[in-house]
Amino acid sequence: MLFKANIFRISLAGLFLLMVSSQVLKAQPVPGLDENIPFLVTFGKDGETSWGDDDFSQTWFFAIPRDYKGKFYIRVFDPDTGGENDEGKDEWNTRMEYSIYGGKGVDPENRNNEDSRGLQPTGTYKSGTLLASKIFGSEKQYDNKYYTFGPFNASEGDLNEKWGYIFKVICYGIKGDDGNLYRYFLSREPNRDVPVEGANAFTYEYTFRMWNNIESVSHIYPFIDTGIVYVAQWNFDWDYDGTIMVVSRVRKGVTVPISHQNDWTNSKIPIEPGELGSSLDFQFHKFKAELIKNNNVVVRLENQRGDNLKFFSAPIGGVPIYEPNYGMRRIPPKK
Ligand SMILES: [Ca+2]
Ligand SMILES: [Ca+2]
Ligand SMILES: [Ca+2]
Ligand SMILES: [Ca+2]
């Protein structure tokens, strides 16, 4: 009996480890695996917002667990603007600056650092200590390839009690009018993608590219903290491309108003008690009758207090799946 019980315990532990490690693996690429988003997008500042980037700047945060003692790297895939993957307008004349910040001033949950969230590239959004920075033009050397920043120590970040050591990465189009498509990977090693256990990444304003096919559905996963009554969703330059739908464990799917060309559209979504402490699944379904090509879109959310919500590249609590009887499950069966 004892032997059997031990085997059972061991296999349970194994299962738990498997679940944790699959979450960990998902946490490291930005965009995340569950999001099914091909690229982040940032245009040069002389670009046109009607191409789908409202402010030519994108801010991401990486959170490293407090107990991680090793070094880490931030790898950028296709950091250049030219050649493969990118969206050109006339000649390639765009220069992209990537800057990595640590230290005090980065933590976007600290009330003194609200600009750090980077919703607009204004005020003190560059707060913190600059750890590394590099500018890329159209460069064959980095086209369709990685550039690696680092090594960094976790303790160089800004310590947040809940999320660990926080680092900020800003990608800004300092010149030109072309669209830069790129991805990040948080890695333990400089030359390959090796995840840091328990790390995650988040942004407050997500600017991304949709797939160039009508079948693929992209997702982003805002975390709904306790105390949220409703969220206001804002989407920019969706090009009337199909539908944006919100799904959660208690919500089968509601569509939200969508933007057209070079404009913001917003609406309010009341939050159900069963959605607190979990993630919402914002689904982006493309128009089926005709392919809308190269659709770049910007999304942000705020709660009833005007506080912006985080989108995590690995959804907190996992991908929410609609459960028709979610609320009922907690009621113990009658004897
Ligand atoms: Ca150009
Ligand atoms: Ca490229
Ligand atoms: Ca690029
Ligand atoms: Ca667009």
Side-chain angles (χ1 to χ4, degrees):
M1 274 305 277
L2 189 66
F3 178 70
K4 260 193 186 162
N6 274 338
I7 294 272
F8 181 64
R9 214 172 286 147
I10 288 163
S11 59
L12 262 190
L15 190 67
F16 179 72
L17 268 182
L18 198 72
M19 283 164 68
V20 167
S21 60
S22 69
Q23 270 307 109
V24 163
L25 287 172
K26 285 175 184 174
Q28 314 297 319
V30 177
L33 290 185
D34 291 319
E35 294 181 316
N36 193 32
I37 288 171
F39 287 102
L40 306 175
V41 179
T42 302
F43 275 73
K45 75 167 173 51
D46 309 317
E48 292 175 38
T49 52
S50 62
W51 288 40
D53 180 0
D54 69 313
D55 59 5
F56 316 117
S57 177
Q58 182 151 202
T59 299
W60 274 86
F61 296 90
F62 288 95
I64 314 283
R66 293 180 77 151
D67 56 2
Y68 180 71
K69 298 289 179 241
K71 295 189 183 308
F72 72 92
Y73 300 82
I74 293 171
R75 310 187 70 209
V76 189
F77 179 71
D78 202 77
D80 83 322
T81 308
E84 304 269 323
N85 307 317
D86 297 301
E87 187 171 0
K89 185 183 181 200
D90 307 323
E91 89 274 32
W92 295 114
N93 61 343
T94 294
R95 292 174 75 74
M96 271 303 131
E97 180 185 65
Y98 300 82
S99 310
I100 298 172
Y101 296 84
K104 292 244 173 297
V106 163
D107 180 3
E109 287 191 348
N110 184 322
R111 285 286 156 201
N112 298 323
N113 306 337
E114 246 169 76
D115 286 354
S116 186
R117 298 177 177 189
L119 283 126
Q120 292 296 322
T122 52
T124 54
Y125 78 110
K126 290 182 173 178
S127 56
T129 305
L130 183 64
L131 301 177
S133 182
K134 187 168 169 65
I135 294 167
F136 297 86
S138 171
E139 297 173 44
K140 233 186 171 132
Q141 189 185 351
Y142 302 115
D143 183 32
N144 207 35
K145 294 185 182 75
Y146 274 108
Y147 177 81
T148 299
F149 287 99
F152 305 106
N153 292 311
S155 58
E156 291 176 88
D158 195 1
L159 184 60
N160 174 292
E161 288 301 320
K162 187 169 180 185
W163 306 111
Y165 287 102
I166 304 206
F167 293 79
K168 175 168 64 181
V169 184
I170 300 173
C171 175
Y172 179 56
I174 56 175
K175 182 181 171 292
D177 53 10
D178 311 293
N180 173 29
L181 280 75
Y182 60 103
R183 295 193 287 263
Y184 294 124
F185 199 103
L186 179 71
S187 180
R188 299 164 66 119
E189 290 187 21
N191 299 317
R192 53 191 195 113
D193 294 344
V194 183
V196 173
E197 269 186 47
N200 209 336
F202 61 89
T203 186
Y204 291 89
E205 184 177 273
Y206 208 145
T207 305
F208 61 94
R209 163 61 67 84
M210 294 287 293
W211 289 98
N212 273 331
N213 69 60
I214 59 169
E215 295 86 22
S216 295
V217 178
S218 295
H219 306 253
I220 57 179
Y221 300 100
F223 178 62
I224 304 299
D225 225 330
T226 50
I228 295 185
V229 176
Y230 70 80
V231 294
Q233 65 87 19
W234 295 74
N235 64 83
F236 178 78
D237 197 59
W238 170 247
D239 303 344
Y240 274 141
D241 187 2
T243 55
I244 302 178
M245 189 185 285
V246 183
V247 174
S248 75
R249 53 193 182 189
V250 299
R251 194 186 299 261
K252 196 173 179 183
V254 294
T255 56
V256 301
I258 53 175
S259 49
H260 186 202
Q261 186 62 244
N262 204 18
D263 62 348
W264 285 99
T265 295
N266 69 87
S267 64
K268 282 180 187 171
I269 304 164
I271 294 299
E272 307 282 337
E275 292 172 325
L276 297 175
S278 69
S279 297
L280 299 183
D281 176 3
F282 268 66
Q283 301 186 352
F284 300 83
H285 296 258
K286 287 188 70 73
F287 185 54
K288 292 288 184 282
E290 182 198 344
L291 175 63
I292 310 286
K293 283 203 79 183
N294 295 350
N295 188 6
N296 308 313
V297 59
V298 187
V299 182
R300 63 182 175 85
L301 297 181
E302 49 187 61
N303 65 21
Q304 72 278 2
R305 295 183 295 268
D307 220 359
N308 293 100
L309 270 62
K310 297 181 184 68
F311 301 102
F312 284 90
S313 61
I316 304 290
V319 172
I321 308 290
Y322 172 63
E323 297 177 47
N325 301 319
Y326 181 79
M328 318 269 283
R329 269 193 343 193
R330 272 97 204 274
I331 302 167
K334 283 196 180 117
K335 281 185 182 157

